Amino acid sequence: MVKVSVDLLLRNGIVIVEGREKRRSVAIRTGKIEGIYERGMEPRAEKTIDCDGRYILPGVIDIHVHLRDLEQPDKEDYISGTRSAAAGGVTTVVDMPNSQPPVLTREVLDMKIERARQGRHVNVGFYAGIPAESERFHASTKIDVLGLKVYPHAPLDGSTFNLKRIEESLKLANEMRLPLLFHPDSAQPMVKVRSVEHYLETHSCDSEVESISQFIRIHKEVGGRLHVCHVSCAASAKMIIDNRAEDRLTAETTPHHLFLSDADFSHEDGTAKMLPPLRTPQDNQALRDALCKCGIDVVASDHAPHTLGEKMTSFINAKSGIPGLETIVPLMLTEVFEGRFSWVEYLRMCSSGPANLLGLLGKGVLSKGYDADVIVVARESYPIEGKKFQSKAKVTPFEGKTVNARPVVTIIGGNPVYEDGKFLVGPGSVGTVPVRPLIRPRNT
Ligand code: NCD
Ligand code: ZN
């Protein structure tokens, strides 16, 4: 009998080698990438997937998602949310703490970990919130989370935020050797929105910039690692670029803030309602430039599912947030295929950059020895259709937009999970929960 040397061979696809497209096969053994081979040099494999004409890429690591569950399964649960990730070509998601109940205690985090273990189809990591009295934060939480997240305009405990809390939050994050992530918005909590204009004014670029400047000011005194979530304005990107030093200040933006602007929508309903709001084409361009200049490190979806009823109502009554797990890869790769981002930029923004940011060594790169979290993508033109999403949330501002990349196979730790519209495994059988860093990035 011939000796089988690898578990899975992705045969004859297109692999990005030193920034260029090359025809190669990718071999996987015991959950890791065994090697990348030229035609005719491949090892024998127990199972082969023909990738002729398709791209073999590292899966996307999406560091900003809201998978809901617990008391909000009508919006999303870990089964539907991680199926949405797998179908979208996202192999690792990091779940935000603004669930119901929010992650302000060790007990709630444990419940979320348990639910995610049962429902998982991809790797799931977590963030924790910070209780109003930060000394109540349970130190044992730190090993199971990848960062601490604060919402100055809507604190998770319903209280109010001030400069003292920014300082306490940064100090706590430093003590735990975790990055502090923040939603940049200095709007007063609980503002009752009266109109579309009032909403946009309340959550304006000035409000975003003011919040970023407060955090940066205190960060300069306290030190540690600070991450700005979903940067949406040109002025914010400039402020971040002007204040960056090594990896202590990092930032992300989203596909919707890169590709959509507010004037594209009439706002009769909540289809394009999210926080931060959409801005202008000038902001889109500034974010693109900042990404290419490494002023912004990563692109994340901010997948924020709500029910149909919560979105299909008047703009002012609708909930903020849109699904993003099934559009991030098609949208970002369309930019690559149409020549607006290079392969190196794409891989840094969507896979290796987010892995580095959270210390997920061993993930985010398609190379020998790395985790076999891999996707296969077909170059194919089609319109985005929310009704086809695996997510429970099906209302997207990208409805009807033509993209030309379709994730067709998703492999988690060497296991094919999704292939051509079908799930090959049930919930809870593949993926790591919680994802932990192999090393903690140094905080100071
Ligand atoms: C998010 C949500 O619904 O949880 N909404 C949104 O519009 N992005 C909250 C958030 O990310 O701030
Ligand atoms: Zn969010």
Side-chain angles (χ1 to χ4, degrees):
M1 222 184 79
V2 185
K3 196 168 170 288
V4 171
S5 61
V6 297
D7 304 326
L8 178 62
L9 187 69
L10 305 174
R11 185 186 289 282
N12 208 17
I14 303 162
V15 173
I16 310 310
V17 181
E18 292 168 4
R20 287 172 206 277
E21 298 182 9
K22 301 274 183 194
R23 195 165 266 270
R24 293 284 189 274
S25 298
V26 175
I28 294 170
R29 199 164 75 97
T30 57
K32 304 276 181 203
I33 297 174
E34 175 72 10
I36 297 175
Y37 302 88
E38 290 185 29
R39 202 205 287 252
M41 308 299 285
E42 301 94 342
R44 285 177 189 282
E46 203 162 303
K47 182 179 155 69
T48 296
I49 298 178
D50 177 22
C51 297
D52 192 17
R54 294 174 161 186
Y55 291 78
I56 307 172
L57 301 169
V60 164
I61 297 176
D62 189 342
I63 68 165
H64 193 144
V65 308
H66 303 263
L67 294 187
R68 314 296 193 201
D69 209 309
L70 300 182
E71 292 170 16
Q72 295 179 315
D74 47 337
K75 292 180 195 266
E76 196 82 291
D77 57 35
Y78 285 105
I79 296 179
S80 60
T82 59
R83 276 176 168 246
S84 176
V90 175
T91 49
T92 298
V93 293
V94 192
D95 191 23
M96 284 290 169
N98 69 333
S99 43
Q100 209 45 259
V103 183
L104 290 169
T105 62
R106 177 76 231 191
E107 289 69 36
V108 174
L109 178 64
D110 284 338
M111 285 192 307
K112 286 184 62 161
I113 291 173
E114 188 48 36
R115 293 284 300 162
R117 276 199 182 125
Q118 291 164 8
R120 75 194 197 270
H121 292 78
V122 299
N123 308 304
V124 184
F126 299 90
Y127 299 112
I130 301 179
E133 293 151 26
S134 62
E135 57 284 358
R136 285 179 175 245
F137 183 86
H138 207 292
S140 74
T141 308
K142 74 173 172 216
I143 54 163
D144 289 325
V145 299
L146 294 167
L148 304 182
K149 169 82 186 276
V150 291
Y151 298 79
H153 68 299
L156 296 178
D157 55 14
S159 63
T160 50
F161 223 76
N162 52 30
L163 298 182
K164 189 165 156 279
R165 277 192 78 180
I166 298 179
E167 184 178 335
E168 284 168 4
S169 303
L170 262 167
K171 284 185 172 159
L172 178 69
N174 291 355
E175 228 174 275
M176 299 296 139
R177 305 195 72 187
L178 291 166
L180 180 73
L181 294 84
F182 73 105
H183 180 127
D185 193 339
S186 52
Q188 287 306 307
M190 309 300 173
V191 173
K192 179 100 185 73
V193 173
R194 297 185 300 269
S195 64
V196 177
E197 294 67 35
H198 183 221
Y199 181 82
L200 297 177
E201 233 170 77
T202 306
H203 304 285
S204 64
C205 283
D206 286 349
S207 172
E208 183 170 300
V209 169
E210 187 187 331
S211 179
I212 295 172
S213 80
Q214 287 172 346
F215 276 81
I216 287 181
R217 204 167 56 237
I218 297 169
H219 179 229
K220 285 201 166 131
E221 289 160 23
V222 177
R225 295 186 56 224
L226 180 64
H227 178 76
V228 193
C229 291
H230 38 53
V231 174
S232 68
C233 303
S236 317
K238 182 172 184 317
M239 174 167 277
I240 292 164
I241 291 171
D242 291 347
N243 284 280
R244 280 179 70 109
E246 297 165 356
D247 65 353
R248 289 169 25 115
L249 176 65
T250 56
E252 103 213 352
T253 191
T254 70
H256 46 281
H257 293 109
L258 278 171
F259 307 133
L260 301 177
S261 57
D262 184 67
D264 300 339
F265 295 89
S266 61
H267 297 318
E268 267 137 43
D269 56 34
T271 302
K273 183 173 180 184
M274 73 288 283
L275 282 176
L278 297 177
R279 311 294 187 186
T280 68
Q282 290 73 32
D283 294 301
N284 300 153
Q285 187 57 46
L287 297 174
R288 203 180 265 276
D289 294 346
L291 270 168
C292 296
K293 283 192 286 189
C294 300
I296 296 178
D297 304 76
V298 306
V299 174
S301 72
D302 194 8
H303 178 79
H306 293 289
T307 66
L308 187 66
E310 288 167 338
K311 294 304 285 179
M312 288 294 101
T313 177
S314 65
F315 183 91
I316 59 167
N317 289 320
K319 296 276 186 198
S320 317
I322 56 163
L325 282 168
E326 286 161 89
T327 45
I328 185 168
V329 172
L331 290 165
M332 294 301 291
L333 284 180
T334 297
E335 296 302 294
V336 176
F337 291 149
E338 296 183 354
R340 290 184 292 275
F341 285 137
S342 71
W343 274 114
V344 171
E345 285 161 349
Y346 165 81
L347 292 168
R348 177 169 48 72
M349 294 167 195
C350 295
S351 292
S352 62
N356 284 342
L357 207 146
L358 294 179
L360 302 176
L361 283 191
K363 290 203 181 293
V365 180
L366 188 74
S367 195
K368 186 177 167 65
Y370 279 80
D371 291 354
D373 296 338
V374 180
I375 60 172
V376 180
V377 175
R379 191 166 175 170
E380 184 183 309
S381 183
Y382 64 98
I384 288 174
E385 285 178 273
K387 68 172 192 293
K388 296 196 174 156
F389 288 172
Q390 297 291 333
S391 170
K392 293 185 185 183
K394 301 190 194 290
V395 178
T396 167
F398 289 108
E399 186 72 32
K401 183 180 162 66
T402 301
V403 285
N404 53 31
R406 188 194 291 282
V408 285
V409 179
T410 299
I411 294 162
I412 306 290
N415 304 289
V417 169
Y418 174 86
E419 194 170 346
D420 289 324
K422 295 197 179 61
F423 287 90
L424 309 178
V425 298
S429 55
V430 301
T432 309
V433 178
V435 170
R436 293 193 178 91
L438 273 187
I439 53 140
R440 287 274 181 224
R442 280 164 51 86
N443 248 7
T444 47

